[in-house]
Amino acid sequence: MDELDAAVCGTHEGARYWFNKRDNPGAVMSTLLWMLTLYSDVVILYVAILGGWGIYNVPIYLAVSFMALISQLKTMFTNPGAVPRHAQPLIRASESGIPETICGRCDAYKPPRSHHCRICNRCIVRMDHHCPWMNNCIGANNQKHFMLFLLYTIIECVYCLALILYNLQNGVTYETSTAAGMVYALLAIAIATLMFVATMMYNQIYAIVTGVGTIDRMRKRGPKGNFAPVPWVDVFGVDPWPMYLLPTDVKYRDFHRVMGYKVATWEIAPTPVPPTPVHDDPTEGKDAAASPAEPAASVV
Protein backbone atom coordinates (compact mmCIF):
# COMPACT_ATOMS: atom_id res chain seq x y z
CA MET A 1 0.00 0.00 0.00
CA ASP A 2 2.85 2.37 0.82
CA GLU A 3 4.49 1.62 -2.51
CA LEU A 4 1.22 2.32 -4.34
CA ASP A 5 0.76 5.59 -2.44
CA ALA A 6 4.33 6.63 -3.26
CA ALA A 7 3.76 5.94 -6.93
CA VAL A 8 0.48 7.88 -7.09
CA CYS A 9 1.32 11.07 -5.21
CA GLY A 10 4.49 12.81 -4.10
CA THR A 11 7.11 15.22 -5.38
CA HIS A 12 9.31 12.62 -7.06
CA GLU A 13 9.50 12.34 -10.82
CA GLY A 14 6.86 9.99 -12.12
CA ALA A 15 4.27 10.73 -9.42
CA ARG A 16 0.82 11.07 -10.92
CA TYR A 17 -0.32 13.76 -8.46
CA TRP A 18 1.91 16.41 -6.93
CA PHE A 19 1.72 16.50 -3.14
CA ASN A 20 4.42 17.30 -0.62
CA LYS A 21 4.45 14.63 2.10
CA ARG A 22 7.90 15.46 3.44
CA ASP A 23 7.06 18.72 5.26
CA ASN A 24 5.19 18.05 8.51
CA PRO A 25 5.28 21.71 9.66
CA GLY A 26 3.85 22.65 6.26
CA ALA A 27 0.94 20.27 6.76
CA VAL A 28 0.24 21.80 10.17
CA MET A 29 0.44 25.40 8.90
CA SER A 30 -1.73 24.76 5.86
CA THR A 31 -4.33 23.18 8.16
CA LEU A 32 -4.12 26.20 10.47
CA LEU A 33 -4.71 28.46 7.48
CA TRP A 34 -7.94 26.62 6.71
CA MET A 35 -9.04 26.82 10.34
CA LEU A 36 -8.52 30.60 10.50
CA THR A 37 -10.34 31.14 7.21
CA LEU A 38 -13.30 28.99 8.26
CA TYR A 39 -13.34 30.77 11.64
CA SER A 40 -13.75 34.10 9.86
CA ASP A 41 -16.61 32.62 7.79
CA VAL A 42 -18.38 31.48 10.95
CA VAL A 43 -17.99 34.87 12.65
CA ILE A 44 -19.30 36.78 9.63
CA LEU A 45 -22.33 34.47 9.42
CA TYR A 46 -22.99 34.36 13.18
CA VAL A 47 -22.86 38.12 13.68
CA ALA A 48 -25.03 38.69 10.60
CA ILE A 49 -27.68 36.37 12.06
CA LEU A 50 -27.58 38.37 15.30
CA GLY A 51 -28.08 41.58 13.33
CA GLY A 52 -24.57 42.94 13.78
CA TRP A 53 -24.37 43.73 10.05
CA GLY A 54 -26.44 43.12 6.95
CA ILE A 55 -27.09 39.54 5.94
CA TYR A 56 -26.19 40.47 2.36
CA ASN A 57 -22.53 40.62 3.45
CA VAL A 58 -22.51 36.86 4.05
CA PRO A 59 -22.69 35.56 0.45
CA ILE A 60 -20.19 38.19 -0.70
CA TYR A 61 -17.68 37.29 1.98
CA LEU A 62 -18.19 33.54 1.58
CA ALA A 63 -17.60 33.82 -2.18
CA VAL A 64 -14.28 35.59 -1.63
CA SER A 65 -13.33 33.08 1.07
CA PHE A 66 -14.17 30.20 -1.27
CA MET A 67 -11.91 31.62 -4.00
CA ALA A 68 -9.07 32.05 -1.49
CA LEU A 69 -9.32 28.44 -0.31
CA ILE A 70 -9.58 27.06 -3.85
CA SER A 71 -6.50 29.07 -4.82
CA GLN A 72 -4.67 27.68 -1.80
CA LEU A 73 -5.53 24.11 -2.80
CA LYS A 74 -4.49 24.79 -6.37
CA THR A 75 -1.16 26.18 -5.17
CA MET A 76 -0.57 23.19 -2.91
CA PHE A 77 -1.43 20.46 -5.43
CA THR A 78 0.15 22.00 -8.56
CA ASN A 79 3.62 21.02 -9.69
CA PRO A 80 5.50 24.33 -9.23
CA GLY A 81 7.84 23.62 -12.13
CA ALA A 82 10.00 20.65 -11.14
CA VAL A 83 12.80 20.02 -13.63
CA PRO A 84 12.89 16.45 -15.04
CA ARG A 85 16.19 14.63 -14.76
CA HIS A 86 16.52 14.24 -18.53
CA ALA A 87 16.03 17.97 -19.21
CA GLN A 88 18.47 19.62 -21.62
CA PRO A 89 19.41 23.29 -22.10
CA LEU A 90 17.78 25.30 -24.85
CA ILE A 91 19.80 26.09 -27.95
CA ARG A 92 18.98 29.79 -27.60
CA ALA A 93 20.42 29.79 -24.06
CA SER A 94 23.66 28.22 -25.25
CA GLU A 95 23.95 30.69 -28.12
CA SER A 96 23.39 33.65 -25.79
CA GLY A 97 26.26 32.55 -23.55
CA ILE A 98 24.22 31.41 -20.53
CA PRO A 99 26.36 28.82 -18.72
CA GLU A 100 25.04 25.32 -18.27
CA THR A 101 24.65 24.44 -14.59
CA ILE A 102 24.39 20.95 -13.13
CA CYS A 103 22.59 20.54 -9.81
CA GLY A 104 24.84 18.80 -7.30
CA ARG A 105 21.88 17.11 -5.62
CA CYS A 106 19.82 16.11 -8.66
CA ASP A 107 22.89 15.45 -10.81
CA ALA A 108 20.94 16.89 -13.73
CA TYR A 109 20.65 20.10 -15.74
CA LYS A 110 19.57 23.13 -13.71
CA PRO A 111 17.86 25.85 -15.82
CA PRO A 112 18.59 29.55 -15.21
CA ARG A 113 16.82 31.12 -12.20
CA SER A 114 15.92 27.72 -10.78
CA HIS A 115 16.82 26.47 -7.30
CA HIS A 116 16.93 23.12 -5.57
CA CYS A 117 14.36 22.75 -2.79
CA ARG A 118 15.64 20.47 -0.05
CA ILE A 119 12.07 19.82 1.16
CA CYS A 120 10.58 18.86 -2.21
CA ASN A 121 13.97 17.39 -3.19
CA ARG A 122 13.60 18.77 -6.73
CA CYS A 123 14.93 21.66 -8.74
CA ILE A 124 12.13 24.20 -9.29
CA VAL A 125 12.01 26.59 -12.24
CA ARG A 126 11.89 30.25 -11.17
CA MET A 127 11.58 29.17 -7.55
CA ASP A 128 10.66 32.07 -5.28
CA HIS A 129 10.54 30.24 -1.94
CA HIS A 130 9.10 27.20 -0.20
CA CYS A 131 5.92 28.34 1.53
CA PRO A 132 4.83 26.25 4.55
CA TRP A 133 1.37 27.86 4.44
CA MET A 134 0.94 26.34 0.98
CA ASN A 135 2.93 23.20 1.85
CA ASN A 136 4.65 23.60 -1.49
CA CYS A 137 7.24 25.58 -3.39
CA ILE A 138 6.21 28.72 -5.23
CA GLY A 139 7.58 28.47 -8.76
CA ALA A 140 6.84 29.27 -12.37
CA ASN A 141 3.90 26.89 -12.65
CA ASN A 142 1.90 27.87 -9.54
CA GLN A 143 2.85 31.50 -8.97
CA LYS A 144 -0.47 32.58 -10.48
CA HIS A 145 -2.44 30.49 -7.96
CA PHE A 146 -0.36 31.83 -5.08
CA MET A 147 -0.92 35.43 -6.12
CA LEU A 148 -4.65 34.78 -6.43
CA PHE A 149 -4.66 33.36 -2.91
CA LEU A 150 -2.91 36.50 -1.66
CA LEU A 151 -5.33 38.74 -3.55
CA TYR A 152 -8.49 37.09 -2.23
CA THR A 153 -7.07 36.92 1.29
CA ILE A 154 -6.35 40.66 1.19
CA ILE A 155 -9.94 41.29 0.08
CA GLU A 156 -11.16 39.11 2.95
CA CYS A 157 -9.13 41.04 5.50
CA VAL A 158 -10.21 44.44 4.18
CA TYR A 159 -13.85 43.32 4.18
CA CYS A 160 -13.60 42.13 7.79
CA LEU A 161 -11.94 45.33 8.92
CA ALA A 162 -14.50 47.47 7.10
CA LEU A 163 -17.42 45.70 8.82
CA ILE A 164 -15.87 45.73 12.29
CA LEU A 165 -14.54 49.29 12.17
CA TYR A 166 -17.87 50.57 10.84
CA ASN A 167 -19.63 49.06 13.86
CA LEU A 168 -17.05 50.51 16.24
CA GLN A 169 -17.38 53.95 14.70
CA ASN A 170 -21.16 53.90 14.96
CA GLY A 171 -21.27 52.41 18.46
CA VAL A 172 -22.95 49.17 17.43
CA THR A 173 -23.10 46.67 20.28
CA TYR A 174 -23.45 42.92 20.02
CA GLU A 175 -26.17 40.93 21.73
CA THR A 176 -23.87 38.51 23.53
CA SER A 177 -20.42 38.71 25.00
CA THR A 178 -19.50 35.62 22.95
CA ALA A 179 -20.25 37.47 19.71
CA ALA A 180 -18.24 40.48 20.88
CA GLY A 181 -15.26 38.28 21.77
CA MET A 182 -15.40 36.51 18.42
CA VAL A 183 -15.50 39.83 16.57
CA TYR A 184 -12.53 41.30 18.42
CA ALA A 185 -10.54 38.09 17.90
CA LEU A 186 -11.35 38.33 14.19
CA LEU A 187 -10.20 41.95 14.23
CA ALA A 188 -6.77 40.96 15.56
CA ILE A 189 -6.50 38.06 13.09
CA ALA A 190 -7.48 40.28 10.15
CA ILE A 191 -4.92 42.98 11.01
CA ALA A 192 -2.06 40.49 11.45
CA THR A 193 -3.02 38.57 8.32
CA LEU A 194 -3.34 41.70 6.21
CA MET A 195 0.13 42.92 7.20
CA PHE A 196 1.73 39.55 6.42
CA VAL A 197 -0.14 38.85 3.18
CA ALA A 198 0.38 42.38 1.83
CA THR A 199 4.12 41.92 2.36
CA MET A 200 4.03 38.62 0.46
CA MET A 201 2.11 40.23 -2.39
CA TYR A 202 4.75 42.96 -2.58
CA ASN A 203 7.46 40.31 -2.79
CA GLN A 204 5.69 38.58 -5.66
CA ILE A 205 5.18 41.79 -7.63
CA TYR A 206 8.81 42.75 -7.02
CA ALA A 207 9.94 39.33 -8.26
CA ILE A 208 7.93 39.73 -11.47
CA VAL A 209 8.96 43.32 -12.16
CA THR A 210 12.67 42.79 -11.49
CA GLY A 211 13.06 39.06 -12.13
CA VAL A 212 14.74 38.66 -8.72
CA GLY A 213 12.91 36.19 -6.49
CA THR A 214 12.89 35.97 -2.72
CA ILE A 215 15.76 33.46 -2.54
CA ASP A 216 17.99 35.50 -4.86
CA ARG A 217 17.18 38.71 -3.00
CA MET A 218 18.06 37.10 0.34
CA ARG A 219 21.35 35.96 -1.19
CA LYS A 220 21.91 39.58 -2.25
CA ARG A 221 21.83 38.84 -5.96
CA GLY A 222 20.77 42.03 -7.66
CA PRO A 223 18.86 42.44 -10.93
CA LYS A 224 21.81 41.75 -13.23
CA GLY A 225 23.23 38.96 -15.33
CA ASN A 226 20.47 36.49 -16.28
CA PHE A 227 17.82 38.35 -14.30
CA ALA A 228 15.17 40.13 -16.33
CA PRO A 229 11.54 41.16 -15.73
CA VAL A 230 9.14 38.25 -16.01
CA PRO A 231 6.42 38.86 -18.62
CA TRP A 232 2.96 38.75 -17.09
CA VAL A 233 1.96 36.22 -19.74
CA ASP A 234 4.60 33.86 -18.29
CA VAL A 235 2.79 34.03 -14.94
CA PHE A 236 -0.89 34.12 -15.91
CA GLY A 237 -0.74 32.43 -19.31
CA VAL A 238 -2.35 33.26 -22.63
CA ASP A 239 -5.98 32.95 -21.52
CA PRO A 240 -8.26 36.03 -21.75
CA TRP A 241 -7.69 38.42 -18.87
CA PRO A 242 -10.93 37.51 -16.98
CA MET A 243 -9.42 34.04 -16.55
CA TYR A 244 -6.56 35.65 -14.64
CA LEU A 245 -8.91 35.90 -11.64
CA LEU A 246 -9.63 32.16 -11.63
CA PRO A 247 -7.17 29.50 -10.35
CA THR A 248 -7.12 27.61 -13.63
CA ASP A 249 -4.12 25.84 -15.12
CA VAL A 250 -1.69 28.17 -16.84
CA LYS A 251 -1.37 27.82 -20.61
CA TYR A 252 1.93 29.00 -22.08
CA ARG A 253 2.58 30.19 -25.59
CA ASP A 254 6.10 28.70 -25.46
CA PHE A 255 6.44 26.18 -22.65
CA HIS A 256 10.14 25.49 -23.24
CA ARG A 257 11.07 29.17 -23.17
CA VAL A 258 9.22 29.74 -19.90
CA MET A 259 10.70 26.66 -18.24
CA GLY A 260 14.18 27.16 -19.66
CA TYR A 261 14.75 23.58 -20.76
CA LYS A 262 13.72 21.05 -23.35
CA VAL A 263 13.07 17.36 -23.02
CA ALA A 264 15.09 15.09 -25.29
CA THR A 265 13.24 12.81 -27.68
CA TRP A 266 14.71 9.77 -29.33
CA GLU A 267 14.32 9.60 -33.09
CA ILE A 268 15.11 6.68 -35.40
CA ALA A 269 16.23 7.90 -38.80
CA PRO A 270 14.13 6.62 -41.68
CA THR A 271 15.53 3.71 -43.62
CA PRO A 272 17.37 4.95 -46.74
CA VAL A 273 15.36 4.52 -49.94
CA PRO A 274 17.07 1.92 -52.15
CA PRO A 275 18.27 3.33 -55.47
CA THR A 276 16.22 2.64 -58.56
CA PRO A 277 17.83 -0.17 -60.55
CA VAL A 278 19.17 0.72 -63.96
CA HIS A 279 17.80 -1.39 -66.83
CA ASP A 280 18.79 -1.63 -70.42
CA ASP A 281 15.16 -1.56 -71.54
CA PRO A 282 14.06 2.11 -71.49
CA THR A 283 10.40 1.12 -71.09
CA GLU A 284 11.13 -0.94 -67.98
CA GLY A 285 13.17 1.90 -66.53
CA LYS A 286 10.27 4.31 -66.97
CA ASP A 287 7.93 1.94 -65.16
CA ALA A 288 10.35 1.67 -62.25
CA ALA A 289 10.77 5.44 -62.05
CA ALA A 290 7.00 5.95 -62.15
CA SER A 291 6.47 3.83 -59.02
CA PRO A 292 9.33 4.43 -56.58
CA ALA A 293 9.68 2.44 -53.42
CA GLU A 294 7.84 3.87 -50.42
CA PRO A 295 10.07 5.23 -47.67
CA ALA A 296 10.02 3.55 -44.30
CA ALA A 297 8.02 5.33 -41.62
CA SER A 298 9.94 7.14 -38.91
CA VAL A 299 9.45 6.19 -35.31
CA VAL A 300 9.52 8.98 -32.76
Side-chain angles (χ1 to χ4, degrees), residues 194-226:
L194 181 60
M195 294 175 61
F196 177 74
V197 173
T199 302
M200 296 302 298
M201 179 64 85
Y202 168 79
N203 289 339
Q204 294 304 302
I205 296 176
Y206 181 89
I208 293 174
V209 173
T210 64
V212 183
T214 301
I215 294 178
D216 294 312
R217 192 169 65 254
M218 293 178 64
R219 294 178 179 176
K220 302 185 183 303
R221 296 177 180 176
K224 59 182 180 180
N226 297 330

Side-chain angles (χ1 to χ4, degrees), residues 6 11 33 39 56 107 132 155 160 172 185 189 213 224 256 276 281 290:
T11 60
L33 182 150
Y39 172 79
Y56 60 87
D107 195 24
I155 296 175
C160 285
V172 176
I189 293 173
K224 59 182 180 180
H256 294 138
T276 304
D281 187 352

Side-chain angles (χ1 to χ4, degrees), residues 36-97:
L36 292 175
T37 303
L38 295 178
Y39 172 79
S40 69
D41 296 341
V42 171
V43 174
I44 295 296
L45 177 61
Y46 179 62
V47 176
I49 294 175
L50 295 179
W53 41 63
I55 194 69
Y56 60 87
N57 291 293
V58 175
I60 299 175
Y61 186 84
L62 292 182
V64 177
S65 175
F66 174 79
M67 293 302 298
L69 292 178
I70 292 298
S71 299
Q72 193 270 346
L73 288 177
K74 194 66 176 177
T75 306
M76 182 167 61
F77 291 111
T78 297
N79 185 330
V83 182
R85 295 186 181 275
H86 53 283
Q88 295 182 356
L90 299 177
I91 297 177
R92 69 191 74 172
S94 302
E95 293 177 348
S96 60

Side-chain angles (χ1 to χ4, degrees), residues 235-299:
V235 179
F236 292 93
V238 296
D239 288 326
W241 70 264
M243 299 296 292
Y244 288 3
L245 299 176
L246 300 177
T248 56
D249 292 332
V250 182
K251 300 176 182 177
Y252 303 106
R253 181 175 291 110
D254 187 348
F255 177 84
H256 294 138
R257 180 189 61 80
V258 175
M259 294 297 159
Y261 66 84
K262 65 179 181 179
V263 179
T265 56
W266 293 93
E267 295 184 354
I268 300 178
T271 304
V273 179
T276 304
V278 179
H279 303 279
D280 296 334
D281 187 352
T283 303
E284 188 176 358
K286 290 180 180 179
D287 294 339
S291 57
E294 296 183 356
S298 61
V299 180

Side-chain angles (χ1 to χ4, degrees), residues 93-161:
S94 302
E95 293 177 348
S96 60
I98 299 177
E100 298 181 9
T101 306
I102 302 298
C103 177
R105 297 181 178 89
C106 296
D107 195 24
Y109 175 64
K110 185 177 180 180
R113 293 195 292 186
S114 61
H115 298 281
H116 185 92
C117 176
R118 59 179 179 82
I119 299 176
C120 297
N121 198 29
R122 298 290 297 277
C123 281
I124 307 298
V125 175
R126 215 170 66 228
M127 177 180 172
D128 187 80
H129 67 289
H130 184 94
C131 181
W133 297 100
M134 301 293 107
N135 193 28
N136 198 4
C137 283
I138 306 303
N141 215 28
N142 66 349
Q143 189 175 23
K144 168 192 173 181
H145 313 317
F146 182 61
M147 294 187 69
L148 287 179
F149 165 76
L150 297 177
L151 173 64
Y152 290 121
T153 303
I154 290 174
I155 296 175
E156 276 188 285
C157 294
V158 172
Y159 208 109
C160 285
L161 293 176

